[in-house]
Amino acid sequence: MVKLDLIGTLSGHKGQVWTVDWSPTSKTLASSGQDKTVKLWRQEGAEWVCVATLEGGNTRTIRQIAWSPCGRRIATASFDSTTCIWEYTDGEWDLAATLEGHENEVKGVAWSRDGDYLASCSRDKSVWVWEVVEVDYECASVLQVHTQDVKKVVWHPTDPLLFSTSYDDTVKVYKEFGDDWECAESLIGHSSTVWSMSFNKSGDKFVSCSDDRTLRVWCRDDNKFVGSTPVLYTMCLGVDMVTLLQQPGITLLGCSNNRADLCYWLTINLTLTLVM
């Protein structure tokens, strides 16, 4: 049985907290939510302290935040249809850019592994790829492949590939062809909204979660991703969040839903067991 211990409760946001994200370069945790702010937290002794509040960028709920690989930029996806970029310079966080173009709520945002690209997705069914050119952000491509809301964008951990999940029950895979980005693959397997996905460290596997109450593990085979069988049926409602942690011989899948149910799957030597 997996045992989780509560080590702290961070209070400070007004309203619902939508997302959290750890800095890749420091022990700083970022959080955002309904109050249109981003708060940065660090542990001081036994206490967690808010060391900065980023506000004045977005005008509606911040749905997702993402640290850049260098740890000096934070992107925020908001229901106000924009993506804001905060940058840390000279000891202060400043609003560096506001990216406009989506026609509806921006649901997700993600940096490429080298920090040269930023992807955003929206209720308007589109995925935008932004190229980072020094201090400017230029739209490199607008991808309109999904037929319903796009819920999440995720970059491959080692290759220049972009993935998106959607209300249309699919996962799309994009790659750069010449000077533009195109859909290279459409992964079909879920029977309802695909809410999220998560890669292992090497990028040869990822897990997707869906409103159909299943998790699917996709494995790379000859440069294509193939869905595994059997499908993992959760004991939860539709699953809207998933994390894949992998070490040699052991894989842990963690998933949850908006009812706050938690399920953990542990696989040792390829045998899957529901442990919580």
Side-chain angles (χ1 to χ4, degrees):
M1 178 67 70
V2 174
K3 186 176 184 297
L4 300 176
D5 295 318
L6 178 67
I7 62 172
T9 300
L10 313 185
S11 300
H13 282 288
K14 297 177 182 178
Q16 185 174 8
V17 179
W18 276 94
T19 186
V20 293
D21 193 29
W22 287 103
S23 166
T25 59
S26 69
K27 297 180 180 180
T28 304
L29 179 69
S31 62
S32 70
Q34 189 177 3
D35 62 6
K36 302 169 283 189
T37 70
V38 175
K39 292 186 180 293
L40 305 183
W41 308 84
R42 292 195 193 120
Q43 190 173 15
E44 297 182 1
E47 301 294 325
W48 285 84
V49 178
C50 179
V51 296
T53 298
L54 315 184
E55 55 188 338
N58 297 113
T59 59
R60 292 184 63 192
T61 295
I62 298 175
R63 181 63 181 85
Q64 189 182 7
I65 50 180
W67 290 87
S68 65
C70 67
R72 301 184 66 85
R73 293 170 177 166
I74 296 174
T76 64
S78 173
F79 286 178
D80 67 8
S81 305
T82 70
T83 299
C84 286
I85 311 296
W86 294 85
E87 189 162 0
Y88 188 72
T89 54
D90 299 325
E92 298 287 341
W93 286 94
D94 296 314
L95 181 62
T98 299
L99 310 183
E100 300 178 340
H102 284 292
E103 298 176 359
N104 215 312
E105 301 167 359
V106 182
K107 297 291 187 69
V109 64
W111 298 88
S112 63
R113 63 186 177 91
D114 54 11
D116 290 342
Y117 290 97
L118 181 74
S120 59
C121 64
S122 171
R123 189 177 177 182
D124 65 12
K125 309 175 189 177
S126 72
V127 173
W128 288 52
V129 179
W130 306 85
E131 186 175 5
V132 184
V133 183
E134 295 182 353
V135 296
D136 294 324
Y137 296 80
E138 300 177 358
C139 179
S141 189
V142 177
L143 302 163
Q144 296 176 305
V145 182
H146 286 290
T147 59
Q148 298 293 332
D149 298 19
V150 189
K151 299 302 298 180
K152 193 174 182 68
V153 282
V154 177
W155 290 92
H156 191 276
T158 61
D159 297 339
L161 298 172
L162 176 64
F163 293 68
S164 61
T165 70
S166 170
Y167 267 103
D168 66 11
D169 311 342
T170 69
V171 177
K172 305 294 187 188
V173 187
Y174 311 93
K175 64 186 299 185
E176 193 172 16
F177 291 93
D179 295 330
D180 203 2
W181 289 78
E182 298 177 9
C183 182
E185 196 172 354
S186 182
L187 306 182
I188 299 173
H190 286 291
S191 60
S192 190
T193 300
V194 186
W195 292 105
S196 187
M197 58 177 286
S198 177
F199 274 100
N200 65 351
K201 187 175 181 180
S202 64
D204 65 335
K205 296 181 182 68
F206 75 86
V207 60
S208 57
C209 64
S210 170
D211 201 48
D212 64 11
R213 299 177 61 187
T214 69
L215 304 177
R216 284 183 177 267
V217 180
W218 304 80
C219 301
R220 200 168 196 174
D221 182 18
D222 193 25
N223 288 326
K224 291 185 177 295
F225 284 90
V226 179
S228 68
T229 55
V231 175
L232 307 183
Y233 286 90
T234 74
M235 298 172 65
C236 310
L237 298 174
V239 187
D240 59 16
M241 186 176 296
V242 67
T243 299
L244 174 59
L245 303 174
Q246 189 171 49
Q247 295 179 351
I250 298 177
T251 299
L252 177 66
L253 304 179
C255 63
S256 68
N257 62 25
N258 58 14
R259 199 180 66 182
D261 295 320
L262 294 174
C263 294
Y264 289 91
W265 294 83
L266 180 65
T267 170
I268 302 177
N269 297 326
L270 302 180
T271 300
L272 291 163
T273 306
L274 181 65
V275 294
M276 184 176 178

